[in-house]
Structure formats: C-alpha cells, structure tokens
C-alpha cells in the first residue's frame, strides 16, 4: 500500500507530461472514520489528471460511461480548478487497476456518516463484504458506478482536489522559470500568466511541474468563481452516439471471435437435464456445446448459428427447489409475515412509537412487484482464455476492478493474470453492479471451453429478462393516527425486506411518534440494485400513505405536506416550486387529476406533480410531470436535467406497466411485449426545474425515479376517488363513475 | 449459392444461409455494429435500417428477402458528414447511453424524408422505438426544431 501511494504521488508520466494523483487523507476525516484509522496507508485515491506536452489535459475517469454524462461532468470539475481551456480537455475511462480505484467513493460515504458501521454503508455496497473491516479494505479498490457516486464523491472529494494540486504545480514551475513569486501569477485558459503579461502554456510547464510533489491541501476555488462548473457544456460522448461509432461491449470484435448463445434453467436453482447434442453438433459453424450445471451454451462462428443450434438442442431442465413459487403466494406470505413476529428488526423508534397508536387507527397495505432492468443493451461479455498466459475480458461493468477480480475467481487464476477492458454500456440501471454478474460468469465459462478463442456471449432479450437480479417485490403496512387538528400523530410502518432495514423508509415529515420494523423474507429469485434502490419502493409507500392521511384529514395533499415540513426548508421549497410550476390550484376537467409526491434520494430532494387523465373505462394517460429538484450544487445543469427526465420515464414505465411475476419458480415475462415500457406515444410532457442550494451535492441518475409512482397514483385518486395500493397501474380496475 | 447484399452503396457477395436476419449479417458479417440488437422480435426498433428508403426492423428480415436491394445503415446515413438530424441530436444532447439512438435516428430520418414537419402525433405514430434511458422529450424537441424553417426562432 505504501509503495502504491508513492507511485501515485511521485509519478512523472510519459515524457513531457505532468501526471497528478492525489492522496486523500485529511486528518479531520480520519478522526471521523475510526475504522479507517487502523489502515491509513489504504486511504489514497487515484483520480488522475494528466497534462501532455502539447497542453492537452486528460482526466482519468474511474467510472463507467452508461449514459449519465459522468466523464464530461468530472472533466468539468477538473478543468474548473485547473483554469483549463475547455476545448483542450479530454476524458478517458481509467483502466481496471487498483491504481485508479475509486477511494473517493468510500471516502465520501464515510464522510457523510458519523460512525463507520456496516449499516452506514449504502445497501448497494453492503453485499461486497462480510464485515465492516473487510468492507473498508474492499472499498478502497472500488470503481463502482452505482448510488450516484461519480460527481458527488469522486468529483467533489477527488478529481477537484487533484486538479487544484496540478494547477499549483504549474504555477510553481512558472514562478521558478521567471524567478518571481508564485503570488504574482494567475491562471486562465490553460496558461499561467505573470503580472508583467508574460505567460506560459500548461504544456510548456508540464514536465517541470511534474518534478514536484502535489499538495494534499491545495486551495480550492470558491463556488461563486466557477465558470465551467454550473455550465451546460456539451457531453464528450454524444457525437459518437449519433453515427453508430461508439463501441459498446456487444460490439467488440477481437480477431477470430466466436459467439455464444445460452439457455439458462428457467426456474432459479433448476438444473440442466438433457440436450439433443447429435442434432446440433453437425450444424454449420458450431464449435462447441458446453453443458453447465444450470445452463447450456453453444459456441459457434456466428451468433445466429449459435442461436439456431441452441434451439436444435431442445434443452430440458428440472424445476429445482423453487417449483412451488408463485407471485401471488409470495405476496400472501409477505402480508402474513408482516403480522407475525418472525425475523424482524426494529430499525427506528421515535417518541413512543407503536405504543402511541390510539383507538382510531388508519391501516393500509401496499405492494410492489419484482422488476427487471431491461437496459437496451442485453447483457453480454466477451472473454478469451489463454492458459497459462491468462484471461482477457471485454464488457460493460458498473465496477471494472471488481469485475476483473470476479472473472479471475471464475477462471481460478490470480487477478494479475486477468485483463479487463471496460466498455460503454447501453444502459445499466444497476444491472451491471457487483453481485449481478451471471453474464461475466457464463462468458468466462464458455471461453474456458474453447481456449485460445475469444467468445462473445450474448443474452437474448428473453434470457436478459428471465435471468436478471430483480428489484425485489415488497409489501409494506402502515398504521397511523391523527391529532385533532388532522396532522399525523403516530406513524407505524412494517415492511418486508430481503436483507436489512432500510433507512429510506424513514419519513422527513414531522410526526411525533414513529416506529419502523423490517421483516426479513428471503427472495426465491436473485435480487439486485435497481435504479434508486430502496427509494423506488419506500417512496411509493410513504408518499401514498401520507396522501391517504391527508384525505382522511380532509386536507389538500399539498397543504397537508406543507404543514409537516416547517422544519425542512429545502424540502418545502422543492414541494412549493413543483406545485407552482404545475399550476396546482388551476381547475381541471372531469376525469383529470393532479397528484404530488416528495422523495429525497441520494442527497437530492425531488418533488413531482403528475397530471393524469382517466378515461371512462379506466385507461390512464399521464399527461404531464412537473418536477423540482434540489441537488445542492449542479455541475452540468442540462446533463442533470436529462438524468432526471430519464429517471422519471424509467419510473413511469415501472409504475404503469412493470411487473415480473413468478410461476413454478420461473419468470413469466420474456420480452418487451409482456414487459412493456414507455414509448414516445405514452411519454408525458416533462418539465424539470433545478433548485441550486447550499446543500451538499446530491445524485442525479437515480433521483427522478421514486416520486413518479406515488405522484401518478395520487393523481388517479384525485381524478377518480380510486386508491391504488399495488403497482403496476395497468393491472388495476379503475372505471370511474 | 451466395447472397448479394447492397449496403451503404457497396455490394457484398456473402456465403450465408437464407434465413439469417439482416441484423446479424450487418453486425457479424459486415462488422457494421452501429445497428443494434435489442429484442430480436421486432418490438424495440434498435435494429432499424433503411430498405429502399423506408425504416425497417432488420431483426425481422431474412437476408435472402432483401438481396440486391439498397440498404442504408447508420454508418451510411450522412455519406461522411452528419445530417441535419444528427446535428440536431447533438444540439439537443439527445443520447444518454446511446444504444437505441442508431435505430431512433434511422426511424426519424425515414419519417422526415416523407413528412418534413411532423406533429407530435405523427412522430409518435411513426417512431415506436424504445429508449430505456428516456430520451423521448429531447427527441421531440429535436424533431420539432428540425420541422421549423431555418431562422424561425419561435
Ligand atoms: S432488435 Fe429488432 S426490433 Fe428489437
Ligand atoms: S439512449 Fe439509452 S436506450 Fe436510448
């Protein structure tokens, strides 16, 4: 670790270039995170700024590019602190190597949490280690892109500081040349300029600057001096996405590439029983039929031929131990578990909690189904197994370094013998995070069956939907009682969980007595992180129930929430702005209603108003979503807006149509016709209003998702008086009288 | 016997089976990977190309059915330069992950060729492609800007 740190600090890159890595170990944060103090040597991060002899600035990005504009936003933050000429700044995806690992991510989370415990670590990271100590060691090696970390963690705690340190070195080099004090220089447009007017380009100074150690505490710009951060600069990755030039994982083409098609046992835990090998083995282009425990793979010289041979194999599978699993029964089990005392965790009590419930209790039950990610690029990976030299893997991963380690483990070789090529992903939404890597595993296994030949394994859409790591199905029960003035006095929430208690259940509203209880029920199918994670269900539950309480109290849902947010000025401001922009009070035609919802997610406070039209026979059309989002500071407003728009549409697909159901332990849905998503024709008008505040920087990619479902359901109630407590909307009967 | 395929103005003699979908021929034989696989059943539009100038879903077309007919893929759309549509896509920062965008652009460009100023309803009826990233509002904005005469600021 010490050696690595030295490498980071002292490196001169290729001739004439300045390379700055930044060791992040400010003492105040060390003190806050005791757990880390034991291993100070691991607290480095390697977000790198490179400046070439010709002045070109390259920012190394330790995240994947999956459509969120991360590279551009991080480069903006670097260029800002450097005072670089934006037209001479580039971004480059960092190699899957510990040198470029994203320590800032862990740092950021630790910084936010007062005490370092496993539960203070966001759920999407929890599964990566068994205990807190192990977890920290692992986090130092993360290159995760999940939980909206890129800008607010890597950027704020890492890249910005690296860039400021690099700027300091450049000034120092210029000062040495001229023999003047550093204070007599300023920087602008990639030049270091002396008060006399004499100036040097960054490129001229790079080599000299690289002879010195960067400071760990460089002065940072004040926010009001920003010119690049806060500007809607065009994204770097977009031009190559309008002419088909971007090479995604599914497009890689190493020499002598073969293709693999896979059929996995439909029921989780099912085993491959039989294949008709004779009929497939002779088909054109077929190279190898690979029988795995729970799947069969055909490797052929073309993907189409692999698919045809796979069909000809007519594989059969047994149903495994989950054959008795049906969605409806699962839901019933969740409901009854909420009433029992088994496997529960009381995760928070406020005031007198459940004991404060009076005699008039308002009780409601809500449920959401499993959901698939269904990113546009079906999961796939390409692998080349060349013993004894090693393994090479190409693919899109939300954590390149961990993917490399994972593939090494599958192949049974040390990580040092594995090369992982990180490629852009055609969407991910959590599907490509650690713990969800069946596509890497199967690709490596297929490659191991044909050593020396690169194999691209592609899931068909059917395999992609049927073998996902799903957003869990969750049931939540609320009990509440009101004060005489109509405000909630007691808020009691019991909900199911597949692993641990969710802080996302906790309300921001001022209610004197609260109690939360998590009831653990294992999932019969694998679950994973799905855009906005726990907020995707708790947002729906909480914002539905508060709306129901408003109705019970005979109050306007907006007014009701306002009265409960006196202590939360930022939340109140977001709520008010969304309501104003939506014209909350403006009259509506019969059958049209507005609903409102407010959810804080990954540090961003988002309020949305849905305007929904319900036809006589009950068909629902969402006409408009008005959104106000307070993310503290925003790096690229247009990019932020795009992410929130996308989140709203993603959340709306789920709210209106999304459901993965299980029969005999297998997923029923297969492709877009039975797992529908929003298209142009049913996409509402969307207005996103950004609130900049002095809050810490919040996330962007996930935050648009959670409020959509409750806003829509609340609007349906306003339009019809019908309250939906289960998603998706399409399954409900909503004829209006 | 081989199949003759005319793609982006170049003709290819290919030794392949009759029933291979055009999508896989473009991607795996000709290495034109701009055309994407999304669903394989004609539902998502990621694989949209032009056949005789009309938008078609290449995963649903056996290659033998289009032998000799002019096919244009995203790589051949602007003949070396970006079309006004592609420039509008950059101007409005439409793509997110970008995976659906080849298909989107091919579908929209076929529409604009026959209807230069489509209404939102025209657009929604003609372009049923899926974008999981949710770029629809920007697609609408870009198409509506294209439909306006140059210099029209409104
Ligand atoms: S891949 Fe052809 S329509 Fe989806
Ligand atoms: S931009 Fe990602 S699917 Fe459309």
């Amino acid at each position: 670790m010490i050696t690595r740190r030295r490498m980071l600090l002292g490196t001169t890159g290729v001739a004439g270039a300045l390379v700055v890595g930044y060791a992040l170990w400010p003492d105040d944060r060390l003190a806050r995170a005791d757990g880390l103090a034991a291993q100070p040597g691991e607290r480095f991060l390697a977000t790198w700024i490179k400046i070439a002899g010709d002045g070109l600035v390259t920012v190394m990005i330790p995240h994947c590019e999956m459509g969120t504009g991360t590279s551009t936003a991080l480069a903006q933050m670097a260029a800002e602190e450097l005072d670089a000429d934006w037209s001479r700044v580039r971004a480059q995806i960092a190699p899957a190597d510990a040198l470029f690992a994203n320590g800032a991510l862990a740092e950021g989370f630790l910084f936010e949490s007062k005490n370092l415990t496993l539960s203070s670590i966001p759920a999407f990271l929890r599964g990566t280690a068994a205990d807190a100590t192990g977890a920290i060691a692992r986090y130092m090696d993360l290159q995760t892109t999940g939980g909206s970390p890129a800008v607010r963690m890597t950027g704020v705690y890492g890249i910005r500081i690296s860039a400021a340190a690099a700027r300091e070195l450049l000034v120092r080099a210029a000062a040495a040349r001229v023999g003047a004090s550093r204070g007599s220089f300023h920087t602008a447009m990639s030049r270091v300029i002396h008060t006399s007017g004499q100036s040097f380009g960054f490129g001229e100074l790079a080599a000299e600057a690289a002879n010195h150690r960067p400071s760990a505490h460089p002065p940072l710009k004040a926010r009001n001096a920003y010119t690049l951060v806060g500007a809607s600069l065009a994204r770097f990755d977009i031009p190559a996405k309008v002419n088909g030039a971007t090479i995604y994982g599914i497009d890689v083409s190493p020499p002598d590439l073969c293709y693999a098609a896979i059929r996995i046992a439909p029921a989780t835990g099912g085993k491959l029983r039989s294949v008709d090998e004779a009929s497939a083995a002779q088909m054109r282009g077929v190279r190898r039929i690979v029988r795995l425990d729970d799947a069969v793979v055909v490797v052929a010289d073309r993907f189409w031929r692999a698919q045809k041979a796979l069909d000809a194999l007519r594989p059969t599978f047994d149903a495994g131990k989950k054959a008795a699993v049906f969605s409806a029964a699962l839901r019933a089990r969740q409901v009854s578990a909420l009433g029992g005392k088994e496997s529960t965790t009381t995760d928070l009590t406020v005031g007198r909690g459940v004991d404060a419930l009076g005699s008039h209790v308002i009780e409601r039950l809500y449920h959401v189904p499993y959901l698939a990610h269904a990113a546009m690029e079906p999961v796939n990976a390409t692998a080349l197994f060349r013993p004894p030299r090693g393994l090479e893997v190409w693919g899109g991963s939300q954590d390149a370094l961990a993917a490399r380690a994972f593939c090494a483990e599958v192949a049974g070789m040390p990580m040092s013998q594995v090369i992982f090529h990180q490629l852009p992903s055609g969407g991910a939404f959590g599907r490509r995070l650690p713990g969800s890597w069946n596509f890497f595993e199967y690709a490596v296994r297929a490659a191991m069956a044909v050593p020396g030949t690169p194999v691209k394994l592609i899931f068909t859409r059917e395999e992609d939907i049927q073998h996902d790591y799903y957003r869990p199905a969750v049931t939540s029960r609320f009990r509440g009682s009101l004060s005489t003035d109509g405000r909630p006095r007691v808020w009691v929430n019991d909900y199911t969980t597949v692993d641990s208690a969710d802080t996302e259940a906790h309300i921001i509203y001022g209610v004197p007595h609260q109690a939360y209880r998590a009831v653990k029920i294992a999932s019969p199918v694998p679950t994973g992180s799905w855009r906005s994670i726990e907020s995707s269900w708790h947002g729906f539950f909480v914002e539905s129930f508060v709306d129901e309480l408003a109705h019970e109290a005979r109050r306007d849902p907006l007014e009701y929430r306002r009265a409960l947010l006196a202590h939360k000025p930022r939340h109140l401001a977001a709520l008010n702005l969304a309501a104003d922009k939506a014209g909350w009070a403006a009259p509506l035609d019969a059958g049209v209603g507005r609903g409102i919802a407010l959810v804080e997610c990954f540090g961003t406070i988002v309020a949305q108003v849905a305007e929904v039209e319900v036809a006589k026979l009950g068909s629902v059309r969402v006409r408009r979503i008005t959104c106000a989002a307070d993310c503290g500071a925003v790096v690229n407003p247009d990019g932020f807006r795009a992410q929130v728009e996308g989140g709203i549409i993603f959340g709306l697909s789920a709210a209106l149509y999304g459901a993965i159901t299980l029969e005999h332990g297998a997923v029923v849905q297969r492709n877009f016709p039975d797992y529908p998503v929003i298209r142009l024709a049913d996409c509402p008008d969307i207005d996103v209003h950004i609130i900049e505040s002095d809050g810490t920087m919040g996330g962007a990619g996930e935050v648009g998702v959670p409020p959509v479902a409750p806003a829509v359901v609340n609007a349906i109630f306003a339009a019809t008086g019908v309250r939906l407590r289960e998603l998706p909307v399409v399954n409900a009967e909503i004829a209006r009288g | 016997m081989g199949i003759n395929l005319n793609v982006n103005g170049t003709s290819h003699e290919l030794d392949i089976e009759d029933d291979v979908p055009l999508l896989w021929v473009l991607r795996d034989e000709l290495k034109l990977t701009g055309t994407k696989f999304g669903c394989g059943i004609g539902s998502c539009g990621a694989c949209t190309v032009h056949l005789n100038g009309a938008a078609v879903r290449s995963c649903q077309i056996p290659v033998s059915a289009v032998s000799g007919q002019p096919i244009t893929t995203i790589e051949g759309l602007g003949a070396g330069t970006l079309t006004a549509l592609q420039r509008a896509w950059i101007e409005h920062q439409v793509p997110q992950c970008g995976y659906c965008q080849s298909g989107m652009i091919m579908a929209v460009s076929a529409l604009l060729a026959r209807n230069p100023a489509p209404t939102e309803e025209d657009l929604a009826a003609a372009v049923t492609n899926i974008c999981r990233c949710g770029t629809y509002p920007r697609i609408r904005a870009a198409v509506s800007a294209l439909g306006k005469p140059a210099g029209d600021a409104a």
Side-chain angles (χ1 to χ4, degrees):
Chain A
M1 281 303 169
I2 299 294
T3 322
R4 263 204 242 162
R5 194 182 85 234
R6 291 230 176 90
M7 282 170 66
L8 286 176
L9 293 176
T11 303
T12 306
V14 277
L18 168 66
V19 181
V20 178
Y22 168 63
L24 186 70
W25 38 22
D27 303 323
D28 56 333
R29 257 173 257 167
L30 262 178
R32 284 177 198 236
D34 346 321
L36 271 180
Q39 298 166 300
E42 298 188 356
R43 289 168 52 86
F44 71 87
L45 88 119
T47 35
W48 292 65
I49 313 291
K50 297 191 294 186
I51 301 177
D54 65 357
L56 191 73
V57 175
T58 303
V59 184
M60 303 299 289
I61 309 295
H63 293 280
C64 68
E65 189 51 85
M66 52 187 190
T68 53
T70 297
S71 305
T72 311
L74 291 177
Q76 274 178 264
M77 296 176 94
E80 183 69 70
E81 292 296 341
L82 269 171
D83 283 326
D85 172 358
W86 180 244
S87 69
R88 304 284 291 139
V89 177
R90 300 286 176 271
Q92 186 185 331
I93 297 296
D97 191 287
L99 276 176
F100 298 94
N102 182 26
L105 170 65
E107 191 73 34
F109 280 119
L110 298 176
F111 188 39
E112 286 183 348
S113 60
K114 286 188 194 63
N115 283 307
L116 180 65
T117 61
L118 198 56
S119 64
S120 70
I121 291 158
F124 73 91
L125 294 175
R126 262 177 232 150
T128 61
D131 59 70
T133 322
I136 298 316
R138 292 284 300 271
Y139 293 165
M140 296 303 99
D141 286 340
L142 282 177
Q143 290 186 328
T144 296
T145 309
S148 296
V151 168
R152 67 201 197 102
M153 302 299 169
T154 310
V156 170
Y157 299 110
I159 284 191
R160 189 169 69 123
I161 297 165
S162 296
R167 179 189 163 277
E168 232 182 13
L169 293 178
L170 292 161
V171 170
R172 183 170 167 177
R177 271 206 193 182
V178 176
S181 73
R182 291 184 222 169
S184 58
F185 291 87
H186 74 281
T187 44
M189 288 299 279
S190 290
R191 298 194 77 78
V192 183
I193 304 156
H194 188 244
T195 45
S196 68
Q198 189 182 9
S199 76
F200 306 93
F202 282 1
E204 293 171 63
L205 299 169
E208 287 152 59
N211 291 330
H212 300 282
R213 278 177 64 121
S215 156
H217 301 278
L220 296 170
K221 269 192 190 174
R223 190 164 149 186
N224 60 17
Y226 285 173
T227 57
L228 294 172
V229 168
S232 292
L233 303 177
R235 269 168 48 192
F236 291 140
D237 56 321
I238 283 183
K241 289 176 174 176
V242 303
N243 63 4
T246 298
I247 298 296
Y248 299 85
I250 203 169
D251 301 325
V252 294
S253 189
D256 304 317
L257 178 67
C258 276
Y259 300 79
I262 186 166
R263 183 110 359 116
I264 306 169
T268 305
K271 303 275 180 252
L272 179 64
R273 195 188 275 150
S274 71
V275 290
D276 180 3
E277 236 179 88
S279 56
Q282 301 308 315
M283 291 174 70
R284 183 174 174 187
V286 172
R287 296 283 171 83
R288 179 89 75 214
I289 293 158
V290 188
R291 293 165 185 251
L292 300 171
D293 190 38
D294 61 347
V296 59
V297 177
V298 177
V299 180
D301 64 347
R302 293 292 183 270
F303 186 61
W304 175 248
R305 289 177 188 143
Q307 274 187 285
K308 281 195 82 167
L310 189 61
D311 286 338
L313 281 174
R314 290 181 289 119
T316 61
F317 299 89
D318 69 30
K321 294 192 183 70
K322 308 273 168 58
V325 173
F326 288 78
S327 283
L330 193 68
R331 183 187 179 290
R333 249 182 56 218
Q334 291 187 338
V335 173
S336 70
L338 287 181
K341 298 247 180 288
E342 304 290 297
S343 304
T344 67
T345 319
T346 301
D347 74 279
L348 181 72
T349 303
V350 175
R352 288 191 293 118
V354 68
D355 295 337
L357 276 174
S359 55
H360 182 68
V361 175
I362 301 158
E363 180 169 339
R364 299 287 186 269
L365 194 72
Y366 304 89
H367 181 77
V368 295
Y370 285 105
L371 293 172
H373 297 81
M376 217 54 231
E377 179 188 3
V379 290
N380 64 88
T382 301
L384 168 58
F385 182 68
R386 266 183 305 191
R389 275 170 62 196
L391 174 74
E392 208 168 338
V393 180
W394 294 258
S397 156
Q398 283 176 265
D399 186 341
L401 194 56
R404 185 176 148 204
F406 177 85
C407 293
E409 206 174 310
V410 174
M413 47 175 61
M415 195 164 159
S416 57
Q417 271 174 266
V418 178
I419 299 171
F420 182 82
H421 302 275
Q422 172 75 301
L423 288 147
S425 290
F429 316 121
R431 176 66 180 89
R432 292 166 183 270
L433 278 167
S436 316
W437 284 345
N438 53 2
F439 54 101
F440 283 130
E441 178 170 355
Y442 289 127
V444 170
R445 293 205 188 289
M448 289 172 74
V450 284
T453 301
V455 177
K456 185 194 290 180
L457 182 135
I458 304 171
F459 278 35
T460 56
R461 177 59 62 190
E462 289 79 6
E463 295 296 325
D464 180 272
I465 285 186
Q466 301 208 314
H467 299 284
D468 199 342
Y469 298 74
Y470 303 94
R471 196 286 300 271
V474 183
T475 301
S476 185
R477 182 184 63 168
F478 291 85
R479 284 168 293 165
S481 40
L482 306 180
S483 307
T484 45
D485 65 358
R487 291 184 183 210
R489 193 177 59 82
V490 190
W491 179 285
V492 177
N493 182 200
D494 310 286
Y495 57 89
T496 63
T497 176
V498 291
D499 44 34
S500 48
D502 306 331
T503 51
E504 292 77 3
H506 305 162
I507 53 172
I508 40 150
Y509 300 112
V511 179
H513 307 285
Q514 303 172 31
Y516 302 86
R517 200 173 59 110
V519 179
K520 188 169 169 174
I521 292 196
S523 169
V525 291
T527 57
S529 297
W530 185 94
R531 197 173 187 174
S532 82
I533 324 182
E534 290 89 349
S535 296
S536 82
W537 57 89
H538 288 298
F540 169 66
F541 300 147
V542 167
E543 286 299 296
S544 295
F545 188 58
V546 80
D547 224 66
E548 298 217 48
L549 295 183
H551 178 70
E552 291 289 325
R554 301 178 194 288
R555 298 285 174 75
D556 172 76
L558 170 64
E559 289 306 325
Y560 196 72
R561 285 176 174 82
R562 274 182 183 154
L564 303 175
L565 288 171
H567 60 302
K568 294 274 182 188
R570 288 176 67 202
H571 295 78
L572 191 58
L575 192 74
N576 285 335
L577 183 64
D580 283 357
K581 296 288 183 185
W584 180 259
L588 290 168
D589 294 338
V592 182
R594 289 193 191 95
I596 194 161
L598 172 71
V599 182
E600 179 177 342
C601 174
F602 293 109
T604 296
I605 299 160
V606 184
Q608 290 175 17
V609 174
E611 188 179 303
V612 173
E613 184 182 340
V614 184
K616 276 260 186 255
L617 291 175
S619 67
V620 169
R621 192 169 80 88
V622 180
R623 301 209 294 203
R624 192 173 155 208
I625 303 281
T626 309
C627 176
D630 176 348
C631 57
V634 62
V635 174
N636 187 317
D638 188 58
F640 179 83
R641 210 172 284 120
Q643 283 306 297
V644 176
E645 289 164 7
I648 289 171
I649 294 166
F650 195 83
L652 192 59
S653 285
L656 295 182
Y657 312 122
I660 288 293
T661 49
L662 305 174
E663 277 178 18
H664 301 291
V667 169
V668 173
Q669 289 70 25
R670 294 176 51 78
N671 206 320
F672 291 117
D674 55 5
Y675 192 71
V677 296
I678 297 283
R679 302 179 192 237
L680 268 169
D682 49 359
C683 182
D685 290 334
I686 296 174
D687 296 307
V688 177
H689 303 276
I690 301 175
I691 303 172
E692 292 216 49
S693 72
D694 52 9
T696 44
M697 193 179 285
E702 332 232 3
V703 305
V705 177
V708 189
V712 165
V713 162
N714 294 341
I716 291 171
F717 177 77
T720 63
V722 177
R723 171 61 63 180
L724 304 186
R725 300 192 179 93
E726 196 161 322
L727 295 176
V729 169
V730 73
N731 288 350
E733 303 271 332
I734 331 171
R736 63 185 177 90
Chain B
M1 197 42 231
I3 285 174
N4 176 273
L5 212 57
N6 175 355
V7 181
N8 300 332
T10 306
S11 110
H12 305 266
E13 285 297 328
L14 299 167
D15 166 30
I16 41 170
E17 302 87 317
D18 285 357
D19 61 344
V20 187
L22 176 59
L23 168 66
W24 296 111
V25 178
L26 295 171
R27 288 183 55 82
D28 294 352
E29 302 287 337
L30 304 182
K31 305 289 179 199
L32 294 170
T33 54
T35 304
K36 298 302 192 217
F37 166 58
C39 69
I41 60 165
S43 175
C44 76
C47 64
T48 306
V49 298
H50 292 175
L51 175 65
N52 298 309
V56 294
R57 295 188 169 172
S58 62
C59 70
Q60 293 304 294
I61 299 181
V63 64
S64 54
V66 294
S67 186
Q69 299 177 53
I71 294 157
T72 306
T73 70
I74 185 76
E75 290 89 349
L77 188 63
T81 60
L82 292 180
T83 60
L85 168 60
Q86 288 166 309
R87 290 196 306 272
W89 245 235
I90 295 173
E91 170 74 16
H92 290 264
Q93 297 279 291
V94 172
Q96 290 188 23
C97 82
Y99 193 81
C100 72
Q101 297 297 338
S102 297
M104 278 293 177
I105 288 169
M106 297 310 280
V108 172
S109 68
L111 168 68
L112 293 180
R114 58 186 160 82
N115 177 0
T119 63
E120 263 190 31
E121 289 69 33
D122 297 339
L123 178 67
V127 179
T128 57
N129 298 30
I130 292 173
C131 172
R132 270 301 264 165
C133 297
T135 62
Y136 306 119
R138 283 156 192 258
I139 291 172
R140 279 182 192 149
V143 170
S144 125
L146 281 166
K148 292 193 177 111
D152 184 349

